[in-house]
Every structure is written in structure tokens, then in C-alpha cells.
Amino acid sequence: NALMRGAATTTTILLRITYRTTTLQKTFVAASQTFTEKSRGKRRSRKARSRVLSALMSPNPNGKRGVSQAKKRYVRNPNLPFVSRELFTKARLTDDEEKQLSTESYEEVLKAKASAIEGLLRPFYDGGDEDEKKKKTKSRIEFEVFASPKLKHFRQRVRFGICEQQQHREQQLLSEEEEKGKFDYCIFERSEITRIETKFDIASESLQAIMNKLREALNEDDRFQSLREGRLSAVTFHENRKSTECVVTLWRGEPFREDFAKVSGLLAKEIGVKAIVGRTKGDRRVSNDSTEDFVVEEMEIKDNESGTGRVLRYKQPEGSFSNPNGDIAEMTANWLCRAMETDEIAAQTARSFVELYCGNMNHGCYLAKYFPRGKVIGVERDENLCRAAEVNLEMNSIENGTIINAPAEIVARRFLSRLRKKKRGEENIEGEEYPFTEKDFLLVDPPRAGLDEITLDLAREFKDIIYISCDARSLARDLGEKKLSETHRVKRLAAFDHFPWHADFLEVVCQLEKKE
């Protein structure tokens, strides 16, 4: 009896374990299916725009269609004037369209953008500071606004979607079979697709010429058919301001053939570009297996007193961030140099310059002059940009430069951990020590979303900060909601129109100093 009772108990336990295991397996399978569906949904939403651009287009003669299946673009500020980029693709403009692209119209758009941003940031510099109120004084800070010197042909980097070429079949120019595989460039704007047939006056004139040469070669020349095969989804063009170097990138979902390097090398020579890069998922190839997949840009900085200039040279690698409007980038650089000269940073103690999100060390190279007794330190997570930054430091004869290949938030967390331990008087602190202190000069140039919490904590420790923001809403949030304005006051403020005619964005440069 005892043995049978023991066996029955053991069987019951095993059955319960089996039941629970089965239940757990079902739960795990259900959770996995849910996670997979969500992941697929996210991937679909991320790729929706790309799919729509590369899918078959509507046969409507205007080349546009609604894109209900795509993720519709959110209009960030519908109250601001809107000038469609479609106007820059037209061979002929009506009188009303000419008026929309006039200098007077641009000035109105810029004024509206600047007014919106000024209203957003005014509480932080125009008498909104509590310390200034207690002193019964109001800070006299001028909000400077810099217009783009060019209203057309101002971009040196553009990217287009790909759509199937649609000739007027009613005129029987091409049969359906002849049209198959041939493409046009297109842009996606406010849930509509605009086909680019011959011109895109936002891009530089030389880029437009290369665009048309590439499309004609891929569509008409059988020697380059292998580059057009598969699903070409996008094309990127990147040149320098002198139009002496250009790199083209072909994006597609399917792998390129093994002869890509040879065929694309022939095409690069044919259309007059430095290199052609092919990108697919997990694969990247360069024409003729070249390492010259970059352009070299120049920037002139004029001395405030003598008026003489110094020219800096920058390597801008394909596939990594660079400013598409080189003229405004140069204006921003000169404004920052004037600010440094006014503050006589070089005459101060041996402070270092620290730049988070430094990219190819664009800012650090021209500001290094003002920190001769300290170091010039850049922090960047993109390994490709770090290599370019090191080349740029060497190319501009900057010997006190250091590049840290790491995310800004990781550097911030480790630096703050050591700093807090030092403040507590701890000795023999373990962990990596970075070559800068909170007494140095900090420049942050974060993505559009602004600074994360840990990097904001780091910024609050520094005496002087330059915050470069491509979205003033993020800057206002960091100053207000995230309380950066409680530790620092605005010293200088300027806006630069990197994207003329764009209703939403002005890049804002804000210089901050720590309150006493």
C-alpha cells in the first residue's frame, strides 16, 4: 500500500510538472508569435516608405498617388508656410509658382520660422531667467538669424527614391516590355510622390547633370544592365562644393552581381564621378574595389581682425553624416569662431575642448585654434566617422587632437561615475579615465531628438556649453522641462537656415554658461 501510494504521488507530481511545462510552452509560443508579429509590424512601418517609393506607381499622368499603406509623414508645424519641393522639378512655372519661389516669399518663410523658434526659446534668454529678475536686469541677447545665401542649387548631398518609368503610352513612345525595369527618380513629400523627370533645382547644377547621366546610362546602355537588375530602391549623390568630386550610392534589396566592381567602375568613368558604391543588406561594394569612396570638402574661416582666411579640408566618407548645405555650414563655423575670439578663450587657462557626437570632427578642427594649451577631444560612436575624424585632424595639422570611439551616453555615464566618487573623496577609483574635466569647454551636436538624460547630467557639470540643435523643440525641452536652464544661462543664440523653403527647421546654435 505504501509503495502504491508513493507511486501515485510521484505520478501526480509528474503530471503536474508536465501540465505546467506544456502551459509554459504554449505561453512562450504565444508570446513569441506576438513578438514576431510586432517586430514584423515595426519592420513594415520602417520599410513602408522605401517600399512605396520603389513599388509600381499609379498610372496617373501627374505621377502622384495617395499612400495610405505607407506611414504618413507627420506635419510638425502646419501653421508655418509650406513650399512644395515639386516646384523645383518643373520645367515651367506659372506666375503664382514663380511668386512662391521669389526672394520675397523666402524672406516671409524664414521670418515665420524664426519667429516660431524665437517664441519657443524667448523664456530662456529674454528676461525669463530668475537670477536676472532678482537683479532687476534683463539680458540683452540678440537672436541672430542667418539666411541661406542660395535659394536654389544649395544642396551638395541628395537622396532619391526609385519609381518605374512611365512614358505616355497613349503616344506609343515605348511598349510595356521596353519600359520594364527602367526607372525615374522620385521624392516623397506629405503623403505624395513626385516624379523627377529632368530637373531638381534644390541640388547643385553639377549634381543634376550627374543625375541625368546616371539615369540615362542605366536605362539605355546594355553594358550597365546588371546594375539595374533586381529592385533598385534609392540613389544617393554626394559631392563637394567645388563640384570636383562626387560619390554615387546605389541602394537595392537584392545582392549585386560579382562583376559589380568592374561594371560600376566603367560607369563611374562614363558619368564622371569619383566612385560608385553598391549597398544591399549586409553587403557593400565599391567601383574598381577602390578606397576612394569619399569626397574632400573645404571650408574657409576668416579672421575677425585682419580679415585674412584659413582654409580647412575635411574628408567626408560615403554613407556617413555630413552637412548637405556647405555654404551655411561655413557661416556657422565663422560665427562660432567669432564667439570664441570675443570670449578670448585662448587667453584663459589651459582648458580643453570636448565635442560629443563629433562626426568627422567638423567643429573641432576649426575651433582647435582657440585651445592651444589644452586638448581637442571628439566622441563619436560611428567607427567610419572616427577614422575620418583622425584623418581630418592630421590633414589640418592639429596635433593635440584625440578621438574616442564610443556612444556619448556611455562616456557620460563613466565620466559622471568617476566624478561623483572624486567628490566623495574616494581614492584608487577603478574604470576608464577620460582626458578631460568638467572645467573644460563642451560642444554637443546631438541628433534631432536632443540629449538623453545621462548626457544632460554630464552637460550640467561643465562651465561652458555650445549646444547645436537641428530641432529647436528639443533644445527648448532640454532647457525647460529637463532643467538645463536651472544650471546654465543663455549667452548667445543664433539660427542658421540649412534647409531653405523647409517649413519646419532652422538649426539653432546656443552658447550657455554656468550660473554662479
Side-chain angles (χ1 to χ4, degrees):
N1 289 338
L3 286 172
M4 291 187 67
R5 284 197 299 271
T9 303
T10 303
T11 302
T12 302
I13 292 171
L14 289 173
L15 286 172
R16 287 176 179 175
I17 291 173
T18 303
Y19 173 78
R20 289 176 181 175
T21 302
T22 305
T23 304
L24 184 61
Q25 287 175 340
K26 290 180 179 179
T27 304
F28 177 78
V29 169
S32 298
Q33 290 174 344
T34 302
F35 175 79
T36 302
E37 288 301 314
K38 287 183 177 180
S39 299
R40 287 173 180 170
K42 289 179 180 178
R43 287 198 295 271
R44 281 196 293 269
S45 65
R46 284 196 301 267
K47 294 180 179 179
R49 176 174 170 178
S50 176
R51 286 206 314 273
V52 170
L53 290 176
S54 58
L56 292 175
M57 303 295 293
S58 166
N60 295 338
N62 61 6
K64 297 192 294 185
R65 60 172 286 180
V67 284
S68 57
Q69 74 271 39
K71 184 178 179 181
K72 292 187 177 181
R73 181 175 177 178
Y74 174 63
V75 181
R76 299 175 70 100
N77 195 336
N79 297 321
L80 292 175
F82 172 69
V83 177
S84 174
R85 290 181 294 173
E86 182 184 5
L87 298 181
F88 294 92
T89 69
K90 293 187 174 183
R92 291 183 179 180
L93 298 175
T94 66
D95 291 342
D96 287 341
E97 289 171 340
E98 288 279 6
K99 188 175 180 180
Q100 284 189 65
L101 295 183
S102 66
T103 303
E104 293 76 14
S105 174
Y106 169 68
E107 290 173 351
E108 289 178 7
V109 172
L110 180 59
K111 184 178 179 180
K113 290 196 292 185
S115 178
I117 290 175
E118 186 178 12
L120 196 64
L121 299 177
R122 187 180 295 116
F124 307 110
Y125 74 89
D126 190 12
D129 190 296
E130 292 297 326
D131 291 345
E132 297 297 327
K133 287 180 179 179
K134 290 176 183 178
K135 297 176 184 178
K136 297 183 179 180
T137 61
K138 183 179 284 190
S139 54
R140 299 293 179 182
I141 296 173
E142 180 186 0
F143 179 54
E144 302 176 78
V145 179
F146 295 87
S148 174
K150 294 178 183 176
L151 303 186
K152 291 183 179 180
H153 313 303
F154 52 83
R155 286 192 68 121
Q156 284 80 48
R157 193 183 79 242
V158 290
R159 174 168 169 156
F160 300 107
I162 295 298
C163 55
E164 286 196 356
Q165 193 176 67
Q166 290 182 342
Q167 301 286 350
H168 297 292
R169 292 178 185 169
E170 64 274 14
Q171 298 178 18
Q172 298 181 347
L173 297 179
L174 288 176
S175 67
E176 185 174 350
E177 184 62 30
E178 288 175 317
E179 284 184 4
K180 188 175 180 181
K182 297 186 177 182
F183 71 91
D184 276 331
Y185 305 117
C186 58
I187 52 176
F188 186 88
E189 184 176 56
R190 297 197 173 190
S191 301
E192 293 187 342
I193 292 174
T194 299
R195 192 182 300 274
I196 299 171
E197 296 183 357
T198 57
K199 60 182 289 190
F200 186 63
D201 279 345
I202 288 176
S204 69
E205 292 179 280
S206 58
L207 270 189
Q208 290 187 70
I210 293 170
M211 287 163 48
N212 291 327
K213 288 179 183 178
L214 177 72
R215 176 170 49 190
E216 183 179 355
L218 290 180
N219 281 342
E220 306 298 338
D221 198 325
D222 291 338
R223 293 175 298 169
F224 310 122
Q225 185 178 0
S226 63
L227 300 179
R228 196 184 70 219
E229 288 175 352
R231 197 171 190 176
L232 196 63
S233 59
V235 182
T236 303
F237 300 86
H238 182 193
E239 71 167 5
N240 58 10
R241 283 194 295 166
K242 290 185 175 180
S243 301
T244 57
E245 295 182 343
C246 180
V247 175
V248 176
T249 306
L250 304 177
W251 302 77
R252 77 179 195 186
E254 300 174 12
F256 288 98
R257 287 188 354 190
E258 291 301 319
D259 62 351
F260 174 86
K262 181 179 178 180
V263 176
S264 61
L266 179 62
L267 176 59
K269 184 177 180 180
E270 190 94 0
I271 65 176
V273 299
K274 188 175 182 179
I276 294 177
V277 178
R279 283 184 176 269
T280 61
K281 187 174 181 180
D283 188 24
R284 179 181 182 275
R285 304 185 186 188
V286 184
S287 54
N288 294 326
D289 295 320
S290 171
T291 57
E292 298 290 303
D293 53 345
F294 59 88
V295 301
V296 176
E297 185 61 277
E298 292 187 354
M299 182 184 294
E300 183 178 7
I301 306 296
K302 294 182 179 179
D303 184 76
N304 199 25
E305 295 180 358
S306 65
T308 58
R310 51 190 174 106
V311 177
L312 292 98
R313 302 177 73 237
Y314 292 94
K315 175 184 177 181
Q316 295 181 342
E318 179 276 336
S320 296
F321 176 79
S322 63
N323 199 305
N325 189 334
D327 295 328
I328 281 287
E330 188 174 85
M331 292 172 70
T332 306
N334 277 279
W335 185 88
L336 282 169
C337 288
R338 299 299 78 76
M340 290 292 179
E341 290 173 2
T342 303
D343 290 347
E344 297 183 340
I345 295 294
Q348 299 180 14
T349 55
R351 300 173 71 192
S352 291
F353 172 84
V354 185
E355 180 179 357
L356 304 183
Y357 317 95
C358 72
N360 66 349
M361 211 58 177
N362 174 46
H363 304 299
C365 284
Y366 62 74
L367 293 176
K369 171 185 175 181
Y370 306 102
F371 300 88
R373 293 187 287 170
K375 295 180 179 179
V376 177
I377 303 154
V379 177
E380 173 57 50
R381 70 186 307 160
D382 185 332
E383 188 175 349
N384 197 28
L385 281 172
C386 285
R387 288 193 291 267
E390 290 172 348
V391 170
N392 293 337
L393 289 172
E394 182 179 355
M395 197 156 43
N396 293 292
S397 303
I398 298 169
E399 299 179 354
N400 59 339
T402 300
I403 304 299
I404 300 171
N405 184 196
E409 58 271 22
I410 297 298
V411 172
R413 184 174 289 110
R414 291 174 179 172
F415 179 85
L416 286 172
S417 176
R418 291 186 64 88
L419 181 61
R420 288 162 184 163
K421 290 176 181 178
K422 284 181 180 180
K423 288 182 177 180
R424 292 196 298 264
E426 295 184 26
E427 298 180 358
N428 301 321
I429 302 172
E430 297 181 356
E432 186 173 0
E433 183 172 7
Y434 295 110
F436 57 86
T437 73
E438 69 278 11
K439 297 178 182 179
D440 293 326
F441 200 104
L442 178 68
L443 186 147
V444 292
D445 190 358
R448 189 170 295 170
L451 296 175
D452 59 85
E453 293 287 351
I454 191 68
T455 310
L456 266 171
D457 288 341
L458 173 70
R460 291 187 187 98
E461 297 291 339
F462 279 76
K463 179 183 177 183
D464 294 290
I465 306 170
I466 290 177
Y467 190 136
I468 300 178
S469 172
C470 56
D471 189 343
R473 282 162 280 236
S474 298
L475 174 59
R477 180 207 62 205
D478 290 346
L479 288 171
E481 180 185 336
K482 298 197 173 179
K483 303 179 179 180
L484 183 58
S485 62
E486 291 185 3
T487 57
H488 289 72
R489 65 170 56 86
V490 176
K491 189 174 182 179
R492 289 186 182 88
L493 194 64
F496 299 85
D497 197 8
H498 287 258
F499 304 98
W501 307 107
H502 198 302
D504 295 325
F505 298 109
L506 278 176
E507 183 163 281
V508 179
V509 182
C510 180
Q511 185 176 351
L512 301 154
E513 62 179 357
K514 201 162 191 177
K515 296 178 180 178
E516 298 176 0

